[in-house]
Amino acid sequence: MTKRRPPFGMPRGIVLLATPDGWRHSVLTEEGGMFCGRLADVAADTDPAVYKRQVVGLAHDFHDADLDVTWDPPREPGSWTAQVTVATTPPSA
């Protein structure tokens, strides 16, 4: 049985922008791709760590990999960026 290719590449960076309707996201992939969208039902004042859990969960489910997400200090309100790397140690429980 052949394993299906994941619907997106391995994440390497995240950009989050707060809008009146909630967070918009762009995820950059190792292969040079990008996927964008809106976080449904997540208010703009929600901590970006919520999105970190979603990206880590998707990478684990689709790529069988654990990730480290390191948020850069925000340069302006409502704008967050993060670097994403494959975890070198398993996540703590």
Side-chain angles (χ1 to χ4, degrees):
M1 179 175 183
T2 304
K3 187 174 180 178
R4 288 184 55 183
R5 182 176 179 193
F8 58 88
M10 180 67 76
R12 72 173 174 95
I14 303 169
V15 177
L16 291 178
L17 298 172
T19 70
D21 296 330
W23 289 107
R24 302 285 303 170
H25 68 82
S26 295
V27 176
L28 310 168
T29 68
E30 288 290 336
E31 299 80 9
M34 179 186 321
F35 59 94
C36 304
R38 182 176 68 85
L39 299 179
D41 302 323
V42 179
D45 62 351
T46 301
D47 187 327
V50 170
Y51 189 66
K52 171 184 173 177
R53 287 190 295 272
Q54 291 178 344
V55 170
V56 168
L58 287 171
H60 186 268
D61 292 349
F62 288 106
H63 294 283
D64 198 27
D66 293 318
L67 300 180
D68 288 324
V69 177
T70 306
W71 293 103
D72 300 325
R75 294 185 184 190
E76 58 188 70
S79 176
W80 290 84
T81 58
Q83 305 305 311
V84 181
T85 55
V86 175
T88 55
T89 57
S92 58

